[in-house]
Coordinates of all heavy atoms in Angstrom, one line a residue:
M409 N 40.4 -57.5 63.0 CA 39.0 -57.2 63.1 C 38.7 -55.8 62.7 O 39.4 -54.9 63.2 CB 38.5 -57.5 64.6 CG 37.0 -57.2 64.8 SD 36.6 -57.8 66.4 CE 34.9 -57.5 66.4
S410 N 37.7 -55.6 61.9 CA 37.5 -54.2 61.4 C 36.6 -53.5 62.4 O 35.8 -54.1 63.2 CB 36.8 -54.2 60.0 OG 35.5 -54.8 60.1
T411 N 36.6 -52.2 62.4 CA 35.8 -51.3 63.2 C 34.4 -51.2 62.6 O 34.3 -51.2 61.4 CB 36.4 -49.9 63.3 OG1 37.8 -50.0 63.4 CG2 35.9 -49.2 64.5
A412 N 33.4 -51.1 63.5 CA 32.0 -51.0 63.1 C 31.8 -49.6 62.5 O 32.4 -48.6 63.0 CB 31.1 -51.2 64.2
F413 N 31.1 -49.5 61.5 CA 30.7 -48.2 60.9 C 29.9 -47.4 61.9 O 28.9 -47.9 62.4 CB 29.9 -48.4 59.6 CG 29.3 -47.2 59.0 CD1 30.2 -46.2 58.5 CD2 28.0 -47.0 59.0 CE1 29.6 -45.0 57.9 CE2 27.4 -45.8 58.5 CZ 28.3 -44.8 57.9
D414 N 30.3 -46.2 62.2 CA 29.6 -45.4 63.2 C 28.6 -44.5 62.5 O 29.0 -43.4 62.0 CB 30.6 -44.6 64.0 CG 30.0 -44.0 65.2 OD1 28.8 -43.7 65.2 OD2 30.8 -43.7 66.2
L415 N 27.4 -44.9 62.5 CA 26.3 -44.1 61.8 C 26.1 -42.8 62.5 O 25.7 -41.8 61.9 CB 25.0 -44.9 61.7 CG 23.9 -44.3 60.9 CD1 24.4 -44.0 59.4 CD2 22.7 -45.3 60.8
D416 N 26.2 -42.7 63.8 CA 26.1 -41.5 64.6 C 27.1 -40.4 64.1 O 26.7 -39.3 63.9 CB 26.3 -41.7 66.1 CG 25.2 -42.6 66.7 OD1 24.0 -42.4 66.3 OD2 25.5 -43.4 67.5
V417 N 28.3 -40.8 63.8 CA 29.3 -39.9 63.3 C 28.9 -39.4 61.9 O 28.9 -38.2 61.6 CB 30.7 -40.5 63.3 CG1 31.7 -39.6 62.6 CG2 31.2 -40.8 64.8
W418 N 28.5 -40.3 61.1 CA 28.0 -40.0 59.7 C 26.9 -39.0 59.8 O 26.9 -38.0 59.0 CB 27.6 -41.2 59.0 CG 27.3 -40.9 57.5 CD1 28.1 -40.9 56.5 CD2 26.0 -40.5 57.1 NE1 27.4 -40.5 55.4 CE2 26.1 -40.3 55.7 CE3 24.7 -40.3 57.7 CZ2 25.0 -39.9 54.9 CZ3 23.7 -39.9 56.9 CH2 23.8 -39.7 55.5
V419 N 25.9 -39.2 60.6 CA 24.8 -38.3 60.7 C 25.2 -36.9 61.1 O 24.8 -35.9 60.5 CB 23.7 -38.8 61.7 CG1 22.7 -37.7 62.0 CG2 23.0 -40.0 61.2
K420 N 26.1 -36.8 62.1 CA 26.6 -35.5 62.5 C 27.4 -34.8 61.4 O 27.2 -33.6 61.2 CB 27.5 -35.6 63.7 CG 26.7 -35.9 65.0 CD 27.6 -36.1 66.2 CE 26.9 -36.6 67.4 NZ 27.7 -37.1 68.5
E421 N 28.2 -35.5 60.7 CA 29.0 -34.9 59.6 C 28.2 -34.6 58.4 O 28.5 -33.7 57.6 CB 30.2 -35.9 59.2 CG 31.2 -36.0 60.3 CD 32.3 -37.0 60.0 OE1 32.2 -37.7 59.0 OE2 33.2 -37.1 60.8
A422 N 27.1 -35.3 58.1 CA 26.3 -35.1 56.9 C 25.2 -34.0 57.1 O 24.6 -33.6 56.2 CB 25.6 -36.4 56.5
R423 N 25.1 -33.6 58.3 CA 24.0 -32.6 58.6 C 24.2 -31.3 57.7 O 25.3 -30.8 57.6 CB 24.1 -32.2 60.1 CG 22.8 -31.8 60.6 CD 22.7 -32.0 62.1 NE 22.5 -33.4 62.4 CZ 21.5 -33.8 63.1 NH1 20.7 -33.0 63.6 NH2 21.4 -35.1 63.3
K424 N 23.1 -30.9 57.2 CA 23.1 -29.7 56.3 C 22.4 -28.6 57.0 O 21.7 -28.7 58.0 CB 22.4 -30.1 55.0 CG 23.1 -31.1 54.2 CD 22.5 -31.3 52.8 CE 23.3 -32.4 52.1 NZ 23.1 -32.4 50.7
E425 N 22.6 -27.4 56.4 CA 22.0 -26.2 56.9 C 20.5 -26.3 56.8 O 20.0 -26.8 55.8 CB 22.5 -25.0 56.1 CG 23.9 -24.6 56.4 CD 24.1 -24.1 57.8 OE1 23.3 -23.3 58.4 OE2 25.1 -24.6 58.5
P426 N 19.7 -25.8 57.7 CA 18.3 -25.8 57.6 C 17.9 -24.9 56.4 O 18.6 -24.0 56.0 CB 17.8 -25.2 58.9 CG 18.9 -25.3 59.8 CD 20.2 -25.3 59.0
F427 N 16.7 -25.2 55.9 CA 16.1 -24.4 54.8 C 15.2 -23.3 55.4 O 14.2 -23.7 56.1 CB 15.4 -25.3 53.8 CG 14.6 -24.6 52.7 CD1 15.3 -24.0 51.7 CD2 13.3 -24.6 52.7 CE1 14.7 -23.4 50.7 CE2 12.6 -24.0 51.7 CZ 13.3 -23.3 50.6
R428 N 15.5 -22.1 55.1 CA 14.7 -21.0 55.6 C 13.9 -20.4 54.5 O 14.4 -20.2 53.4 CB 15.5 -20.0 56.3 CG 16.2 -20.5 57.6 CD 17.3 -19.6 58.2 NE 17.1 -18.2 58.0 CZ 16.6 -17.4 59.0 NH1 16.4 -17.9 60.2 NH2 16.5 -16.1 58.8
F429 N 12.6 -20.0 54.8 CA 11.8 -19.3 53.8 C 10.8 -18.4 54.5 O 10.6 -18.5 55.7 CB 11.0 -20.3 53.0 CG 10.0 -21.1 53.7 CD1 8.6 -20.7 53.7 CD2 10.3 -22.2 54.4 CE1 7.7 -21.4 54.4 CE2 9.3 -23.0 55.1 CZ 8.0 -22.5 55.1
T430 N 10.3 -17.4 53.8 CA 9.3 -16.5 54.4 C 8.0 -16.7 53.7 O 7.9 -17.1 52.6 CB 9.8 -15.0 54.2 OG1 9.9 -14.7 52.8 CG2 11.1 -14.8 54.9
L431 N 6.9 -16.4 54.5 CA 5.6 -16.4 54.0 C 4.8 -15.3 54.8 O 4.8 -15.4 56.1 CB 4.9 -17.8 54.2 CG 3.5 -17.9 53.7 CD1 3.3 -17.6 52.2 CD2 2.9 -19.3 54.0
A432 N 4.2 -14.4 54.1 CA 3.5 -13.3 54.8 C 4.3 -12.6 55.9 O 3.8 -12.3 56.9 CB 2.2 -13.9 55.4
G433 N 5.6 -12.4 55.6 CA 6.4 -11.7 56.5 C 7.0 -12.6 57.7 O 7.7 -12.1 58.5
H434 N 6.6 -13.8 57.8 CA 7.1 -14.7 58.8 C 8.2 -15.6 58.3 O 8.2 -16.0 57.1 CB 5.9 -15.7 59.3 CG 4.8 -14.9 59.9 ND1 3.7 -14.4 59.2 CD2 4.6 -14.6 61.2 CE1 2.9 -13.9 60.0 NE2 3.4 -13.9 61.3
I435 N 9.2 -15.8 59.1 CA 10.3 -16.7 58.7 C 10.1 -18.1 59.3 O 9.8 -18.2 60.5 CB 11.7 -16.1 59.2 CG1 11.9 -14.8 58.6 CG2 12.8 -17.1 58.9 CD1 13.2 -14.1 59.1
F436 N 10.2 -19.1 58.4 CA 10.0 -20.5 58.8 C 11.3 -21.2 58.5 O 12.0 -20.8 57.6 CB 8.8 -21.1 58.1 CG 7.5 -20.5 58.4 CD1 7.0 -19.5 57.6 CD2 6.8 -20.9 59.5 CE1 5.7 -18.9 58.0 CE2 5.6 -20.4 59.9 CZ 5.0 -19.4 59.1
T437 N 11.5 -22.2 59.3 CA 12.7 -23.0 59.1 C 12.4 -24.5 59.0 O 11.7 -25.0 59.8 CB 13.7 -22.9 60.3 OG1 14.0 -21.5 60.4 CG2 15.0 -23.6 60.0
L438 N 12.9 -25.1 57.9 CA 12.7 -26.6 57.7 C 14.1 -27.2 57.8 O 15.1 -26.6 57.3 CB 12.2 -26.9 56.3 CG 10.7 -26.6 56.1 CD1 10.4 -26.5 54.6 CD2 9.8 -27.7 56.7
P439 N 14.2 -28.4 58.4 CA 15.5 -29.1 58.4 C 15.8 -29.5 56.9 O 14.9 -29.5 56.1 CB 15.3 -30.3 59.3 CG 13.8 -30.6 59.1 CD 13.2 -29.2 59.0
A440 N 17.0 -29.8 56.6 CA 17.3 -30.4 55.3 C 16.4 -31.6 55.2 O 16.2 -32.3 56.2 CB 18.8 -30.7 55.2
A441 N 15.8 -31.8 54.0 CA 14.8 -32.8 53.9 C 15.3 -34.2 54.3 O 14.6 -35.0 54.9 CB 14.3 -32.9 52.4
G442 N 16.6 -34.5 54.0 CA 17.1 -35.8 54.4 C 17.3 -36.0 55.9 O 17.6 -37.1 56.3
E443 N 17.0 -35.0 56.7 CA 17.1 -35.1 58.1 C 15.8 -35.5 58.8 O 15.8 -35.6 60.0 CB 17.7 -33.8 58.7 CG 19.2 -33.7 58.3 CD 19.9 -32.6 59.1 OE1 19.4 -32.1 60.1 OE2 21.0 -32.2 58.7
L444 N 14.7 -35.6 58.0 CA 13.5 -36.0 58.7 C 13.7 -37.4 59.2 O 14.4 -38.2 58.6 CB 12.3 -36.0 57.6 CG 11.9 -34.6 57.2 CD1 10.8 -34.7 56.1 CD2 11.5 -33.7 58.3
D445 N 13.0 -37.8 60.2 CA 13.1 -39.1 60.8 C 12.6 -40.2 59.8 O 11.6 -40.0 59.1 CB 12.3 -39.2 62.1 CG 12.6 -40.4 62.9 OD1 12.0 -41.5 62.6 OD2 13.5 -40.4 63.8
K446 N 13.2 -41.3 59.8 CA 12.9 -42.4 58.9 C 11.5 -42.9 59.0 O 10.9 -43.5 58.1 CB 13.9 -43.6 59.0 CG 13.8 -44.2 60.4 CD 14.8 -45.4 60.5 CE 14.9 -46.0 61.8 NZ 13.7 -46.4 62.5
K447 N 10.8 -42.7 60.2 CA 9.4 -43.1 60.3 C 8.5 -42.5 59.4 O 7.4 -43.0 59.1 CB 9.0 -42.9 61.8 CG 8.8 -41.5 62.2 CD 8.4 -41.4 63.7 CE 8.4 -39.9 64.0 NZ 8.4 -39.7 65.4
I448 N 8.8 -41.3 58.8 CA 8.0 -40.7 57.8 C 7.8 -41.5 56.6 O 6.8 -41.4 55.9 CB 8.5 -39.3 57.4 CG1 7.5 -38.4 56.8 CG2 9.7 -39.4 56.5 CD1 6.6 -37.7 57.7
L449 N 8.7 -42.4 56.3 CA 8.6 -43.3 55.1 C 7.4 -44.2 55.2 O 6.9 -44.7 54.2 CB 9.8 -44.1 55.0 CG 11.1 -43.4 54.7 CD1 12.3 -44.3 54.7 CD2 11.0 -42.6 53.4
K450 N 6.8 -44.4 56.4 CA 5.7 -45.3 56.6 C 4.4 -44.6 56.1 O 3.4 -45.2 55.9 CB 5.5 -45.8 58.0 CG 6.7 -46.7 58.4 CD 6.6 -47.1 59.9 CE 7.7 -47.9 60.2 NZ 7.8 -48.2 61.7
S451 N 4.4 -43.3 56.1 CA 3.2 -42.5 55.8 C 3.2 -41.7 54.5 O 2.2 -41.1 54.1 CB 2.9 -41.6 56.9 OG 3.9 -40.7 57.1
V452 N 4.3 -41.7 53.7 CA 4.3 -41.0 52.5 C 5.0 -41.8 51.4 O 5.8 -42.7 51.7 CB 5.0 -39.6 52.6 CG1 4.4 -38.7 53.6 CG2 6.5 -39.8 53.0
N453 N 4.6 -41.5 50.1 CA 5.3 -42.1 49.0 C 6.4 -41.0 48.5 O 6.0 -40.1 47.9 CB 4.3 -42.3 47.9 CG 4.9 -42.9 46.6 OD1 6.1 -43.0 46.5 ND2 4.1 -43.3 45.7
V454 N 7.6 -41.3 48.9 CA 8.6 -40.3 48.6 C 9.1 -40.4 47.1 O 9.7 -39.4 46.6 CB 9.9 -40.4 49.5 CG1 9.5 -40.0 50.9 CG2 10.5 -41.8 49.4
D455 N 8.8 -41.4 46.4 CA 9.1 -41.6 45.0 C 8.2 -40.7 44.1 O 8.7 -40.2 43.1 CB 9.1 -43.0 44.6 CG 10.2 -43.8 45.2 OD1 11.3 -43.3 45.5 OD2 9.9 -45.0 45.5
A456 N 7.0 -40.6 44.5 CA 6.0 -39.8 43.7 C 5.0 -39.3 44.7 O 3.8 -39.7 44.8 CB 5.3 -40.7 42.7
P457 N 5.4 -38.2 45.5 CA 4.5 -37.7 46.5 C 3.2 -37.1 46.0 O 3.3 -36.3 45.0 CB 5.4 -36.7 47.2 CG 6.4 -36.3 46.3 CD 6.6 -37.5 45.4
S458 N 2.1 -37.4 46.6 CA 0.9 -36.7 46.3 C 0.8 -35.4 47.1 O 1.7 -35.1 47.9 CB -0.3 -37.6 46.8 OG -0.3 -37.7 48.2
A459 N -0.2 -34.6 46.9 CA -0.4 -33.4 47.6 C -0.5 -33.6 49.1 O 0.1 -32.9 49.9 CB -1.7 -32.7 47.1
T460 N -1.1 -34.7 49.5 CA -1.2 -35.1 50.9 C 0.1 -35.5 51.4 O 0.5 -35.1 52.6 CB -2.2 -36.3 51.1 OG1 -3.5 -35.9 50.6 CG2 -2.3 -36.7 52.5
D461 N 0.9 -36.2 50.6 CA 2.3 -36.6 51.1 C 3.2 -35.3 51.3 O 3.9 -35.2 52.3 CB 3.0 -37.5 50.0 CG 2.4 -38.8 49.9 OD1 1.7 -39.3 50.9 OD2 2.5 -39.5 48.8
I462 N 3.0 -34.4 50.4 CA 3.8 -33.1 50.5 C 3.4 -32.4 51.8 O 4.2 -31.9 52.5 CB 3.7 -32.2 49.3 CG1 4.4 -32.9 48.1 CG2 4.2 -30.8 49.5 CD1 4.1 -32.3 46.7
E463 N 2.1 -32.3 52.0 CA 1.6 -31.7 53.3 C 2.2 -32.4 54.5 O 2.6 -31.8 55.5 CB 0.1 -31.7 53.4 CG -0.4 -31.0 54.6 CD -1.9 -31.0 54.8 OE1 -2.6 -31.4 53.8 OE2 -2.3 -30.5 55.8
T464 N 2.2 -33.7 54.5 CA 2.7 -34.5 55.6 C 4.2 -34.2 55.8 O 4.6 -34.1 56.9 CB 2.5 -36.0 55.3 OG1 1.1 -36.2 55.2 CG2 3.0 -36.9 56.5
L465 N 5.0 -34.2 54.7 CA 6.4 -33.9 54.8 C 6.6 -32.5 55.4 O 7.5 -32.3 56.2 CB 7.1 -34.1 53.5 CG 7.2 -35.5 53.0 CD1 7.4 -35.6 51.5 CD2 8.3 -36.2 53.7
L466 N 5.9 -31.5 54.9 CA 6.0 -30.1 55.4 C 5.6 -30.0 56.8 O 6.3 -29.4 57.6 CB 5.2 -29.2 54.5 CG 5.7 -28.9 53.1 CD1 4.7 -28.1 52.3 CD2 7.1 -28.2 53.1
R467 N 4.5 -30.7 57.2 CA 4.1 -30.7 58.6 C 5.2 -31.3 59.5 O 5.5 -30.8 60.6 CB 2.8 -31.5 58.7 CG 2.2 -31.5 60.1 CD 1.0 -32.5 60.2 NE -0.1 -32.0 59.4 CZ -1.2 -31.4 59.9 NH1 -1.3 -31.2 61.2 NH2 -2.1 -31.0 59.1
S468 N 5.7 -32.4 59.1 CA 6.8 -33.0 59.8 C 8.0 -32.1 60.0 O 8.6 -32.0 61.0 CB 7.2 -34.4 59.2 OG 8.2 -35.0 59.9
G469 N 8.4 -31.5 58.9 CA 9.6 -30.7 58.9 C 9.4 -29.4 59.7 O 10.3 -29.0 60.4
L470 N 8.2 -28.8 59.6 CA 7.9 -27.6 60.3 C 7.7 -27.8 61.8 O 7.9 -26.9 62.6 CB 6.7 -26.8 59.7 CG 7.1 -26.2 58.4 CD1 5.8 -25.7 57.7 CD2 8.0 -25.0 58.6
G471 N 7.2 -29.0 62.2 CA 7.0 -29.3 63.6 C 6.2 -28.3 64.3 O 5.0 -28.0 63.9
A472 N 6.7 -27.7 65.3 CA 5.9 -26.7 66.1 C 5.5 -25.4 65.4 O 4.6 -24.7 65.7 CB 6.7 -26.3 67.4
Q473 N 6.2 -25.2 64.2 CA 5.9 -24.0 63.4 C 4.6 -24.3 62.5 O 4.1 -23.4 61.9 CB 7.0 -23.7 62.5 CG 8.3 -23.4 63.2 CD 9.4 -23.3 62.1 OE1 9.7 -22.3 61.6 NE2 10.1 -24.5 61.9
W474 N 4.2 -25.6 62.4 CA 3.2 -25.9 61.5 C 1.9 -25.1 61.7 O 1.3 -24.6 60.7 CB 2.8 -27.4 61.5 CG 1.7 -27.7 60.7 CD1 0.4 -28.0 61.1 CD2 1.6 -27.8 59.2 NE1 -0.4 -28.2 60.0 CE2 0.3 -28.1 58.8 CE3 2.6 -27.6 58.2 CZ2 -0.1 -28.2 57.5 CZ3 2.2 -27.7 56.9 CH2 0.9 -28.0 56.6
E475 N 1.5 -25.0 62.9 CA 0.2 -24.3 63.2 C 0.2 -22.8 62.7 O -0.7 -22.4 62.0 CB -0.1 -24.3 64.7 CG -1.5 -23.8 65.0 CD -1.8 -24.0 66.5 OE1 -1.5 -25.0 67.1 OE2 -2.4 -23.0 67.1
S476 N 1.3 -22.1 62.9 CA 1.4 -20.8 62.4 C 1.5 -20.8 60.8 O 0.8 -19.9 60.2 CB 2.7 -20.1 62.9 OG 2.7 -20.0 64.3
F477 N 2.2 -21.7 60.3 CA 2.3 -21.8 58.8 C 0.9 -22.1 58.2 O 0.5 -21.5 57.2 CB 3.3 -22.9 58.4 CG 3.4 -23.1 57.0 CD1 4.1 -22.3 56.1 CD2 2.7 -24.2 56.4 CE1 4.2 -22.6 54.7 CE2 2.8 -24.5 55.1 CZ 3.5 -23.7 54.2
D478 N 0.2 -23.0 58.8 CA -1.1 -23.5 58.3 C -2.1 -22.4 58.3 O -3.1 -22.4 57.5 CB -1.5 -24.7 59.1 CG -2.6 -25.5 58.4 OD1 -2.6 -25.6 57.1 OD2 -3.5 -26.0 59.1
E479 N -2.0 -21.5 59.3 CA -3.0 -20.4 59.4 C -2.9 -19.3 58.2 O -3.8 -18.6 58.0 CB -2.8 -19.7 60.7 CG -3.3 -20.5 61.9 CD -3.0 -19.8 63.2 OE1 -2.5 -18.7 63.2 OE2 -3.3 -20.5 64.3
I480 N -1.7 -19.3 57.6 CA -1.5 -18.3 56.5 C -2.0 -18.9 55.2 O -1.6 -19.9 54.7 CB 0.0 -18.0 56.4 CG1 0.5 -17.4 57.7 CG2 0.2 -17.0 55.3 CD1 2.0 -17.3 57.8
P481 N -2.9 -18.1 54.5 CA -3.4 -18.6 53.2 C -2.3 -18.6 52.2 O -1.4 -17.7 52.2 CB -4.4 -17.5 52.8 CG -4.8 -16.8 54.1 CD -3.6 -16.9 54.9
A482 N -2.3 -19.7 51.4 CA -1.3 -19.8 50.3 C -1.8 -20.7 49.2 O -2.5 -21.7 49.6 CB 0.0 -20.4 50.9
P483 N -1.6 -20.4 48.0 CA -2.1 -21.2 46.9 C -1.4 -22.6 46.9 O -0.2 -22.7 47.3 CB -1.9 -20.4 45.6 CG -0.9 -19.4 46.0 CD -1.0 -19.2 47.5
L484 N -2.1 -23.6 46.4 CA -1.4 -24.9 46.2 C -0.1 -24.9 45.4 O 0.8 -25.5 45.7 CB -2.4 -25.9 45.6 CG -3.6 -26.3 46.5 CD1 -4.5 -27.3 45.7 CD2 -3.1 -27.0 47.8
A485 N -0.2 -24.1 44.4 CA 1.0 -23.9 43.5 C 2.2 -23.5 44.4 O 3.4 -23.9 44.1 CB 0.8 -23.0 42.4
A486 N 2.0 -22.6 45.3 CA 3.1 -22.1 46.2 C 3.6 -23.2 47.1 O 4.8 -23.3 47.3 CB 2.6 -20.9 47.1
L487 N 2.7 -24.1 47.5 CA 3.2 -25.2 48.3 C 4.1 -26.1 47.5 O 5.1 -26.7 47.9 CB 2.1 -26.0 48.9 CG 1.3 -25.2 50.0 CD1 0.2 -26.2 50.6 CD2 2.2 -24.7 51.1
G488 N 3.7 -26.3 46.2 CA 4.5 -27.2 45.3 C 5.8 -26.6 45.1 O 6.9 -27.3 45.1
E489 N 5.9 -25.2 44.9 CA 7.2 -24.6 44.7 C 8.0 -24.6 46.0 O 9.2 -24.8 45.9 CB 7.0 -23.1 44.3 CG 8.3 -22.4 43.9 CD 9.1 -23.1 42.8 OE1 8.5 -23.8 42.0 OE2 10.3 -22.9 42.8
L490 N 7.4 -24.4 47.1 CA 8.1 -24.5 48.4 C 8.8 -25.9 48.5 O 9.9 -26.1 48.9 CB 7.2 -24.3 49.6 CG 7.8 -24.6 51.0 CD1 9.0 -23.7 51.3 CD2 6.7 -24.4 52.0
F491 N 8.0 -27.0 48.2 CA 8.5 -28.3 48.2 C 9.7 -28.5 47.3 O 10.7 -29.1 47.6 CB 7.4 -29.3 47.9 CG 7.8 -30.8 48.1 CD1 8.0 -31.3 49.4 CD2 7.9 -31.6 47.0 CE1 8.4 -32.6 49.5 CE2 8.3 -32.9 47.2 CZ 8.5 -33.4 48.4
R492 N 9.6 -28.0 46.0 CA 10.7 -28.1 45.1 C 11.9 -27.4 45.6 O 13.0 -27.9 45.4 CB 10.2 -27.5 43.7 CG 9.4 -28.5 42.9 CD 9.1 -27.9 41.5 NE 8.1 -26.9 41.5 CZ 6.8 -27.0 41.6 NH1 6.3 -28.2 41.7 NH2 6.0 -26.0 41.6
Q493 N 11.7 -26.2 46.2 CA 12.9 -25.4 46.7 C 13.5 -26.1 47.9 O 14.8 -26.1 48.0 CB 12.5 -24.0 47.0 CG 12.1 -23.1 45.8 CD 13.2 -23.0 44.8 OE1 14.4 -22.8 45.2 NE2 12.9 -23.1 43.6
W494 N 12.7 -26.8 48.7 CA 13.3 -27.5 49.8 C 14.1 -28.7 49.3 O 15.2 -29.0 49.8 CB 12.1 -28.0 50.7 CG 12.4 -28.6 52.0 CD1 13.5 -28.5 52.7 CD2 11.6 -29.6 52.7 NE1 13.5 -29.2 53.9 CE2 12.3 -29.9 53.9 CE3 10.3 -30.1 52.5 CZ2 11.7 -30.8 54.8 CZ3 9.8 -31.0 53.4 CH2 10.5 -31.3 54.5
Q495 N 13.6 -29.4 48.3 CA 14.3 -30.5 47.7 C 15.6 -30.0 47.1 O 16.7 -30.6 47.2 CB 13.5 -31.1 46.6 CG 12.3 -31.9 47.1 CD 11.6 -32.5 45.9 OE1 11.1 -31.7 45.1 NE2 11.4 -33.8 45.8
K496 N 15.6 -28.8 46.4 CA 16.7 -28.3 45.7 C 17.8 -27.9 46.8 O 19.0 -28.1 46.6 CB 16.3 -27.0 45.0 CG 17.4 -26.4 44.2 CD 16.8 -25.2 43.4 CE 17.9 -24.4 42.7 NZ 17.4 -23.2 42.0
H497 N 17.4 -27.4 47.9 CA 18.3 -27.1 49.0 C 19.0 -28.3 49.5 O 20.2 -28.3 49.8 CB 17.5 -26.5 50.2 CG 18.3 -26.3 51.4 ND1 19.2 -25.2 51.6 CD2 18.3 -27.0 52.6 CE1 19.8 -25.3 52.8 NE2 19.3 -26.4 53.4
E498 N 18.3 -29.4 49.5 CA 18.8 -30.7 50.0 C 19.8 -31.2 49.0 O 20.8 -31.8 49.3 CB 17.7 -31.7 50.2 CG 18.2 -33.1 50.5 CD 18.7 -33.3 51.9 OE1 18.6 -32.4 52.7 OE2 19.3 -34.3 52.2
G499 N 19.6 -31.0 47.7 CA 20.5 -31.5 46.6 C 20.1 -32.9 46.1 O 20.6 -33.3 45.1
T500 N 19.2 -33.6 46.9 CA 18.8 -34.9 46.5 C 17.3 -34.9 46.5 O 16.7 -34.8 47.6 CB 19.3 -36.0 47.4 OG1 20.7 -35.9 47.4 CG2 19.0 -37.4 46.9
P501 N 16.6 -35.0 45.4 CA 15.1 -35.0 45.5 C 14.5 -36.1 46.3 O 15.0 -37.2 46.3 CB 14.7 -35.1 44.0 CG 15.9 -35.2 43.2 CD 17.1 -35.2 44.1
L502 N 13.5 -35.8 47.0 CA 12.7 -36.8 47.7 C 11.8 -37.6 46.8 O 11.3 -38.6 47.1 CB 11.8 -36.1 48.8 CG 12.4 -35.6 50.0 CD1 11.4 -34.8 50.8 CD2 13.0 -36.7 50.8
G503 N 11.6 -37.0 45.6 CA 10.7 -37.7 44.6 C 10.3 -36.6 43.6 O 10.8 -35.5 43.7
E504 N 9.4 -36.9 42.8 CA 8.9 -36.0 41.8 C 7.9 -35.1 42.5 O 7.0 -35.5 43.2 CB 8.3 -36.7 40.7 CG 9.2 -37.7 40.1 CD 9.0 -38.0 38.7 OE1 8.3 -37.3 38.0 OE2 9.6 -39.0 38.2
S505 N 8.1 -33.8 42.3 CA 7.3 -32.8 43.0 C 6.2 -32.2 42.2 O 5.7 -31.1 42.4 CB 8.2 -31.7 43.6 OG 8.9 -31.1 42.6
S506 N 5.7 -32.9 41.1 CA 4.7 -32.4 40.3 C 3.3 -32.5 40.9 O 2.4 -32.0 40.3 CB 4.7 -33.1 38.9 OG 4.5 -34.5 39.2
A507 N 3.2 -33.1 42.0 CA 1.9 -33.3 42.6 C 1.1 -32.0 42.9 O -0.1 -32.0 42.9 CB 2.0 -34.1 43.9
L508 N 1.8 -30.9 43.1 CA 1.2 -29.7 43.4 C 1.5 -28.6 42.4 O 1.6 -27.4 42.7 CB 1.6 -29.1 44.8 CG 1.0 -29.9 46.0 CD1 1.5 -29.3 47.3 CD2 -0.5 -29.9 46.0
S509 N 1.7 -29.0 41.1 CA 2.0 -28.0 40.1 C 0.9 -27.1 39.8 O -0.3 -27.5 40.1 CB 2.5 -28.7 38.8 OG 1.4 -29.3 38.2
D510 N 1.1 -26.0 39.3 CA 0.1 -25.0 39.0 C -0.6 -25.2 37.6 O -1.3 -24.4 37.2 CB 0.5 -23.6 39.2 CG 1.8 -23.3 38.3 OD1 2.3 -24.2 37.7 OD2 2.2 -22.2 38.4
S511 N -0.3 -26.3 37.0 CA -0.9 -26.6 35.7 C -2.2 -27.3 35.8 O -2.6 -27.9 36.7 CB 0.1 -27.4 34.8 OG 0.4 -28.6 35.4

């Protein structure tokens, strides 16, 4: 009889370093994008995220930091770039991040 695959062990071993960034002199930390809870899939299109989807993903990742982050003015293009850099940190894109491009 084979042993059951232990997903808990896989999650612990696959954990990546958090993604840290600064905005207006404040340091914020996002988990590696792949560490967001699976329930987020019910509210966003990860294959082709819209601006709203990107905001939802950032809000989920920032958690208790969201309120402080949200109070700081930032152009939409900056949010798009933040999302791209977060994906790059993960190494596996969540989807196409052109939704908030500056073009």
Side-chain angles (χ1 to χ4, degrees):
M409 180 173 184
S410 66
T411 318
F413 172 68
D414 191 335
L415 189 56
D416 293 320
V417 169
W418 183 90
V419 167
K420 287 177 187 171
E421 291 176 354
R423 208 156 281 237
K424 296 188 179 197
E425 289 294 315
F427 175 69
R428 293 171 34 103
F429 67 96
T430 61
L431 178 63
H434 297 87
I435 298 174
F436 295 95
T437 304
L438 287 161
E443 291 191 15
L444 293 178
D445 192 275
K446 64 181 174 49
K447 67 184 173 191
I448 196 84
L449 295 173
K450 295 177 183 174
S451 58
V452 298
N453 177 354
V454 293
D455 293 326
S458 68
T460 302
D461 292 335
I462 291 171
E463 180 181 354
T464 300
L465 289 162
L466 290 172
R467 180 186 297 256
S468 178
L470 287 167
Q473 302 170 89
W474 174 256
E475 190 173 316
S476 297
F477 175 80
D478 195 37
E479 290 177 1
I480 302 170
L484 289 178
L487 293 183
E489 185 58 26
L490 172 59
F491 186 69
R492 282 187 285 282
Q493 292 299 318
W494 188 25
Q495 290 176 301
K496 185 178 176 181
H497 172 77
E498 174 73 8
T500 306
L502 284 173
E504 306 207 14
S505 57
S506 61
L508 289 179
S509 71
D510 54 358
S511 58

